[in-house]
Amino acid sequence: MKKIFVIIFVAMLSLPAAGWITGTLQNNSDNTVNPGFPRPETGLWFDRDYYRAIEGWFRETLPMAETLKVANHWLDYYLFSASSIKAVHVGRRGWLFWGTKQAEPENTEAVRQAGHRLCLALHATESIVNATGSRFLVALIPGKAAIYPEYTGVSARADRTSLYGSLMEANRRFPINGLVKLEPVLKKAKLSGQAVYGKRSRLWCRPAAAAAAGQILTAARLAGHGSDPPTDDACPPGDDDLYRLLLGRKKQASMAHTGYRAGPFAVDGPETTIYGDDYLNALLPVLTRAFSAVTIIDATQVSTLGQDLLAHQSEMILLECGQETLERLHLDLEALYTAEQDRLKGVVTRPIALQAADPVGPCALDITDNGLVIRSSGNTAAFSLPAITGSTSRIFRMAKLTFAAGHHGPVSVKALPDRSGPIQKQFGKGTGFMLVPLPFDQSVDLIVTPSQKPGVFTMEKAELISFYGDQPIPSPSLPEPAKATGDIYKGLPIADLEPPPPLPVVRPASAPPVAHPTQTLPELDITDIEDGCVFQRKHNAASIVVSGSYTGVTGPVEARVLAADDESVRVPWTVVDDAPQNSVFTGILAHVPQGGWYRLEVRSALTPWVVKKGRHRWGVGMLVACIGQSNMHEWFATGTDHQPSPRVMIHRDGRWHQPTSTGNGALALGNRLAARLKIPIGLLNYSVNGSGLTAKADWGTGFWLDTAPDGIYRRFVDGVNRAGGSVEAVVWMQGEADAARGTVSREAYRKALERLVDDHIRIDIRNGSSRPQLPFLMIPLVKRPTGKDRPCQWIRQAQMDALDTIEECHLAALSMDLENRGRQHLQPEAYTTLGLRTAQTVLYLQGKTDYHRGPAIASVARVSNQAIDIIIRHRGGTDITPAEGITGFEVLSGETSLPITAITRRDATTIRIEMASGLPEDFRVRYLYGAHPNTTGAVRDNTALALPLEPYSDQ
């Protein structure tokens, strides 16, 4: 049987190739999947997208192609007990599990620490919520493998080394009061013969959800309200979702449960806010019977739990989370505390003495009126705060560490004894403090690393926050009685003292031998700047951190900047640290002019003839962040048509890299900016293939609104911070993943993009430009040969809408007139065009050119019963091409496309559309509509960049 399928598969591959060779099969010159078989080229044999185009051709052309694919997965499952879908694990007797795997031995300690951190974060969340007068419950739903380990086919130890297992282990030692223990309840239901999970499903069955709901209501002391079992109509139907996923079929649409939901009966229950995932679909029919009103926050859409949790001031908060989604749960304690700090009761805040801070790494500490000033040498620098009291079973405690505004780089804090590993916090705009949940120990030491990079930082204050709850708050200790002052012997007779004895003759001791001067002279070693580093300019200059080691007699340290090529002085000798301490020096060298490449030199003012020279070259210029999905990634990976300018550098994976000749889009952008501005250009490549904007468009590689610590957005922000924390512009090229889902509406995408820009990017990344807001540059969705018109149009129109709804959001470039290669990527030369067009937009924002967008349609006029004139408004050009054979226009009546005879240029500002028949009264015109419009005769202006006519729809 297997050989037969192999023969069929080989035949399916061979016939199209043979047809193309003999000329009987139409080829496709731009390697899209429609209309012909992708034309093979030498440069495409190692291009993964070429083979995806072939796969798409088979799916679109061959009859029953999708059915054959499903049949292949079916055979894998039933004959070989295997799955080609990584997210599905086939266990014993055909049982399916969601990605069951055992943690690698080297990762078990990291998982254990993550479980302890999450346990402390849940304790902190519970303390904050309870201090507002609300109740807090946590319902952690054990996964299928925890209830049916006998069918997984893997070691039972796998569950103990999961995040869920580590969290439950930590909870056994330090119990969370509001944790609802569901695992015993579900195992009891299993032993009683009830189905907890289906053989081929990921989510639990109705009896299991009902049993869990009863346990939750019992914990909430509401057991009587929800005791009646829900009807079949109330519960959503079961779904063999893992089986459908294994076969490659689309899953059933889950029940929408975001928003406000009132209980089905008039009950005297509490108003409740529930934060939960897909498991809620079966829980809600039971739970809502016990509450007077329910506000639901969908965890599949909002991965970070912050101030939204308490925004409705509900009487009870329920956090529900399934085991497989636990890793995406992120509790923003700072947002919770900030939102409710005025309502907290039973909370005592006391200062932690900064004067007792002690260096434990290469850094220097100074107490000033503004707080503790830390001169740090980088990620090895650390200091300890004085020992403080840890949490107890009755009183939970946190440390609040507040840093000065504009703090650069993530702060890392480790609590000793160490069970949970370091906690990191990156401060956004307007926030400057972090909360550190304290472990359950009598005494806790906090070790603080202020930043991964060298610098001068200020901790304004440190405080110990104690949540006493219903416990009596101890009174502060009374001050000691004031001591008597003045002459306490006034009025008493005092006898004359005996004269003092003569002082003994002290002979001067012999002087010790004088040391040779070189034994006490200062010695310095510079911490060199990373090779190729580009510092983001601010008003044509930047401030540079200078640091290194220092031994010998203490004296001022000076630094200067030289040109790397001719060693001419760019910044003269300037004192950066007038009093080095703890064997380190750190200071700020301000007003380093834009330009490069530079090198750094340092010396001690006591020995100015001894100079330490940096070997690495660096500069001050412009940083541009490039994010999105695969088409943005292709800017750096496709094409070898350009040689990089010596002034261009690439930043990825947290480090600077010298560019090669690969990457037409990136090099076209960087080279153009470097040539025009005469400064170094740093391009930050943090795009992620297949990434969506929203959770609905998460195809397994992440989505940009996910702000969890391990999400793609946080990796992008961490990369920016490693590059300095400030950029001059962000370029966004994305949308394919959201369009492919087909469920992301125009309004939903626009609102999501607004949240990404205004609530995240502009909060977490400093504006290095001279404009009021950090510029966000948009490249709308490219053509998608295999896409569907309506979803693609929704995304593209939402992106164009955002140009008006988001301040300082600009059109970077249009790609609709450029040729595809594969299902959605572009030809190498197309990326060059996009890079040059985007550079034009950046230069426009710099005031270096007076246009950056192509012509637009100003109006549509009916000139006769069979003719329409399209009036063009120019921005930078004065004419249009081509003169005839124009494509991309459609004339419709309702949803019916009307036949067009010809589309020609009438004059520099007019396009004439001639119809095959008379025009109806309700006609409308659109241009470049849908997934893959015909652009063989796209309209462009006569500027040097040949900018395209922008899409248009009069609907």
Side-chain angles (χ1 to χ4, degrees):
M1 176 66 71
K2 190 173 182 181
K3 291 182 178 179
I4 295 175
F5 279 100
V6 171
I7 294 172
I8 294 174
F9 179 74
V10 171
M12 291 171 61
L13 286 179
S14 304
L15 287 176
W20 177 81
I21 293 172
T22 59
T24 59
L25 182 65
Q26 180 184 2
N27 74 75
N28 184 356
S29 60
D30 69 350
N31 285 324
T32 63
V33 301
N34 191 17
F37 184 78
R39 182 179 62 187
E41 299 175 6
T42 304
L44 299 179
W45 294 121
F46 300 101
D47 189 336
R48 181 174 55 182
D49 200 60
Y50 174 69
Y51 296 98
R52 288 178 176 172
I54 295 177
E55 177 189 358
W57 183 89
F58 278 117
R59 186 172 58 252
E60 295 292 327
T61 306
L62 296 183
M64 301 179 63
E66 194 67 29
T67 302
L68 289 174
K69 183 177 180 181
V70 171
N72 177 58
H73 294 320
W74 186 90
L75 289 172
D76 285 341
Y77 174 56
Y78 283 101
L79 296 184
F80 308 108
S81 297
S83 169
S84 57
I85 307 298
K86 293 182 179 180
V88 180
H89 166 74
V90 180
R92 294 191 178 101
R93 299 183 183 179
W95 277 68
L96 301 181
F97 296 87
W98 180 261
T100 301
K101 62 180 181 179
Q102 184 170 334
E104 297 295 333
E106 61 269 19
N107 294 332
T108 55
E109 178 62 19
V111 173
R112 186 192 66 81
Q113 291 183 347
H116 278 267
R117 280 197 304 273
L118 183 55
C119 183
L120 288 176
L122 288 170
H123 272 287
T125 303
E126 179 180 55
S127 299
I128 294 173
V129 171
N130 292 346
T132 65
S134 301
R135 292 198 60 201
F136 182 71
L137 295 179
V138 183
L140 301 180
I141 301 173
K144 190 175 180 178
I147 305 300
Y148 294 97
E150 66 271 22
Y151 294 119
T152 60
V154 297
S155 169
R157 180 175 174 270
D159 186 61
R160 295 197 299 271
T161 57
S162 67
L163 179 59
Y164 172 81
S166 299
L167 173 59
M168 300 310 292
E169 176 191 354
N171 181 72
R172 281 191 288 271
R173 300 182 61 186
F174 315 110
I176 302 167
N177 294 328
L179 180 67
V180 183
K181 297 180 179 179
L182 295 181
E183 188 168 341
V185 175
L186 298 183
K187 288 183 176 179
K188 182 179 179 180
K190 170 191 172 185
L191 292 175
S192 66
Q194 296 182 6
V196 178
Y197 285 95
K199 181 178 180 179
R200 304 188 301 188
S201 65
R202 176 178 67 91
L203 300 176
W204 54 8
C205 301
R206 298 177 187 178
Q215 186 72 2
I216 293 171
L217 295 178
T218 298
R221 297 189 289 273
L222 297 168
H225 292 286
S227 57
D228 296 333
T231 64
D232 289 343
D233 293 336
C235 287
D239 179 21
D240 288 346
D241 50 352
L242 290 180
Y243 183 63
R244 296 175 64 84
L245 181 60
L246 179 141
L247 294 181
R249 292 175 174 171
K250 293 183 178 179
K251 67 177 183 179
Q252 294 180 2
S254 60
M255 188 174 103
H257 52 251
T258 300
Y260 176 85
R261 182 190 299 262
F265 304 105
V267 297
D268 189 22
E271 295 184 5
T272 302
T273 295
I274 302 179
Y275 176 88
D277 51 27
D278 289 339
Y279 286 90
L280 273 185
N281 291 335
L283 271 178
L284 284 176
V286 182
L287 290 182
T288 54
R289 302 163 67 89
F291 304 129
S292 59
V294 178
T295 301
I296 302 172
I297 303 174
D298 191 347
T300 64
Q301 303 294 319
V302 182
S303 59
T304 299
L305 190 57
Q307 59 187 5
D308 291 346
L309 189 65
L310 299 173
H312 303 279
Q313 299 186 5
S314 300
E315 300 168 70
M316 191 168 75
I317 307 294
L318 172 61
L319 169 60
E320 174 273 311
C321 186
Q323 176 177 346
E324 66 271 15
T325 58
L326 195 59
E327 293 183 356
R328 289 180 52 185
L329 177 63
H330 174 51
L331 301 170
D332 191 341
L333 300 179
E334 291 77 15
L336 282 170
Y337 182 83
T338 301
E340 300 299 327
Q341 58 182 336
D342 295 335
R343 296 176 55 214
L344 301 180
K345 296 180 180 180
V347 179
V348 174
T349 302
R350 294 192 173 98
I352 300 174
L354 295 180
Q355 295 84 348
D358 188 39
V360 294
C363 67
L365 307 178
D366 297 297
I367 290 292
T368 69
D369 293 338
N370 296 323
L372 180 67
V373 176
I374 310 115
R375 286 176 283 166
S376 169
S377 62
N379 58 0
T380 60
F383 64 93
S384 64
L385 292 173
I388 53 180
T389 305
S391 299
T392 68
S393 59
R394 295 176 175 269
I395 304 169
F396 189 77
R397 292 184 171 92
M398 295 189 292
K400 181 183 179 185
L401 309 181
T402 304
F403 288 81
H407 183 90
H408 169 55
V411 178
S412 178
V413 180
K414 180 185 291 186
L416 302 178
D418 180 23
R419 297 187 189 91
S420 57
I423 297 175
Q424 284 195 345
K425 175 67 177 179
Q426 176 65 51
F427 301 128
K429 183 171 59 177
T431 61
F433 76 93
M434 66 183 299
L435 295 175
V436 181
L438 298 182
F440 292 81
D441 290 286
Q442 184 175 0
S443 179
V444 176
D445 292 314
L446 297 181
I447 308 299
V448 183
T449 300
S451 180
Q452 296 175 343
K453 287 183 171 289
V456 180
F457 312 99
T458 301
M459 177 184 284
E460 295 181 339
K461 56 183 177 180
E463 299 165 293
L464 178 64
I465 304 175
S466 301
F467 293 85
Y468 284 87
D470 296 333
Q471 303 298 315
I473 300 176
S475 302
S477 57
L478 297 175
E480 297 181 0
K483 296 182 179 180
T485 58
D487 187 359
I488 62 175
Y489 298 104
K490 184 177 181 180
L492 296 179
I494 300 176
D496 294 335
L497 298 175
E498 295 182 1
L503 296 175
V505 178
V506 179
R507 298 181 181 275
S510 57
V514 179
H516 192 276
T518 60
Q519 295 179 347
T520 59
L521 293 179
E523 293 186 5
L524 287 74
D525 194 9
I526 187 174
T527 300
D528 208 354
I529 297 170
E530 183 181 356
D531 194 26
C533 174
V534 180
F535 292 94
Q536 173 59 48
R537 62 180 182 172
K538 191 67 175 179
H539 304 301
N540 299 329
S543 296
I544 308 302
V545 176
V546 181
S547 67
S549 61
Y550 188 102
T551 59
V553 177
T554 300
V557 175
E558 299 174 337
R560 71 173 179 178
V561 176
L562 303 179
D565 51 0
D566 59 7
E567 295 193 349
S568 59
V569 176
R570 292 293 185 262
V571 179
W573 289 112
T574 305
V575 174
V576 293
D577 191 343
D578 55 3
Q581 299 178 28
N582 198 29
S583 301
V584 298
F585 68 88
T586 303
I588 305 296
L589 186 60
H591 309 301
V592 178
Q594 64 180 7
W597 300 105
Y598 298 145
R599 285 192 172 90
L600 185 66
E601 291 185 346
V602 297
R603 71 182 184 185
S604 170
L606 302 181
T607 54
W609 58 86
V610 180
V611 177
K612 290 291 183 179
K613 299 182 178 182
R615 295 180 300 170
H616 295 164
R617 60 170 199 155
W618 51 273
V620 176
M622 173 187 292
L623 299 187
V624 178
C626 302
I627 59 174
Q629 57 184 104
S630 56
N631 264 305
M632 187 80 260
H633 174 77
E634 294 300 310
W635 278 45
F636 298 83
T638 292
T640 56
D641 296 335
H642 309 287
Q643 291 300 316
S645 164
R647 288 193 175 102
V648 175
M649 292 295 294
I650 306 294
H651 193 276
R652 65 175 182 273
D653 302 325
R655 298 192 61 82
W656 289 102
H657 302 268
Q658 181 75 38
T660 66
S661 60
T662 300
N664 278 4
L667 294 181
L669 171 63
N671 289 355
R672 174 64 172 160
L673 293 178
R676 187 68 183 274
L677 300 176
K678 310 297 184 186
I679 58 174
I681 303 296
L683 302 179
L684 282 59
N685 177 19
Y686 286 91
S687 53
V688 178
N689 289 346
S691 56
L693 172 59
T694 63
K696 286 183 178 180
D698 184 3
W699 294 85
T701 59
F703 62 101
W704 288 97
L705 278 178
D706 181 7
T707 56
D710 58 346
I712 60 174
Y713 172 77
R714 183 52 54 187
R715 294 201 296 269
F716 159 56
V717 173
D718 290 345
V720 173
N721 286 323
R722 288 182 177 273
S726 173
V727 299
E728 199 149 340
V730 176
V731 179
W732 172 259
M733 189 175 186
Q734 193 273 340
E736 298 91 329
D738 299 79
R741 279 296 185 207
T743 58
V744 182
S745 69
R746 175 179 179 178
E747 182 181 13
Y749 187 93
R750 176 184 56 79
K751 288 183 176 180
L753 197 59
E754 292 170 354
R755 291 200 306 274
L756 176 67
V757 177
D758 293 331
D759 298 342
H760 298 300
I761 290 179
R762 287 177 174 166
I763 297 297
D764 296 328
I765 297 175
R766 297 198 306 274
N767 179 15
S769 75
S770 58
R771 303 186 72 85
Q773 296 279 4
L774 174 62
F776 188 78
L777 311 184
M778 183 96 64
I779 302 176
L781 180 66
V782 302
K783 292 186 297 185
R784 289 179 52 81
T786 59
K788 297 181 179 179
D789 285 343
R790 179 170 294 179
C792 290
Q793 192 66 19
W794 283 344
I795 301 303
R796 198 174 292 122
Q797 287 181 324
Q799 292 169 333
M800 298 300 289
D801 293 342
L803 301 178
D804 297 322
T805 62
I806 301 176
E807 185 181 358
E808 288 293 339
C809 181
H810 303 273
L811 181 67
L814 280 176
S815 64
M816 295 289 289
D817 62 318
L818 305 178
E819 293 299 325
N820 289 78
R821 181 182 67 170
R823 293 191 301 168
Q824 58 198 23
H825 295 160
L826 302 176
Q827 295 282 6
E829 55 270 20
Y831 290 111
T832 294
T833 302
L834 283 181
L836 293 175
R837 290 176 180 177
T838 302
Q840 182 78 359
T841 301
V842 175
L843 293 172
Y844 173 82
L845 298 178
Q846 299 287 319
K848 303 297 184 181
T849 185
D850 55 2
Y851 73 96
H852 73 101
R853 293 177 65 168
I857 295 177
S859 63
V860 175
R862 177 190 193 128
V863 294
S864 72
N865 190 42
Q866 291 184 268
I868 302 171
D869 276 354
I870 308 297
I871 309 304
I872 302 299
R873 175 171 58 89
H874 286 284
R875 291 187 173 102
T878 58
D879 206 343
I880 57 174
T881 59
E884 56 186 18
I886 295 174
T887 62
F889 281 96
E890 295 177 272
V891 180
L892 300 97
S893 175
E895 295 300 321
T896 302
S897 182
L898 303 178
I900 297 174
T901 302
I903 308 176
T904 57
R905 171 192 176 276
R906 184 172 177 81
D907 56 42
T909 59
T910 308
I911 295 173
R912 173 67 57 87
I913 300 177
E914 297 178 3
M915 308 299 299
S917 59
L919 284 169
E921 292 296 330
D922 63 342
F923 81 91
R924 56 191 177 92
V925 176
R926 61 191 186 192
Y927 178 65
L928 298 185
Y929 174 88
H932 192 231
N934 183 359
T935 58
T936 55
V939 179
R940 299 179 178 91
D941 66 15
N942 63 342
T943 61
L945 293 173
L947 297 177
L949 178 66
E950 296 184 0
Y952 173 81
S953 176
D954 60 2
Q955 186 178 19

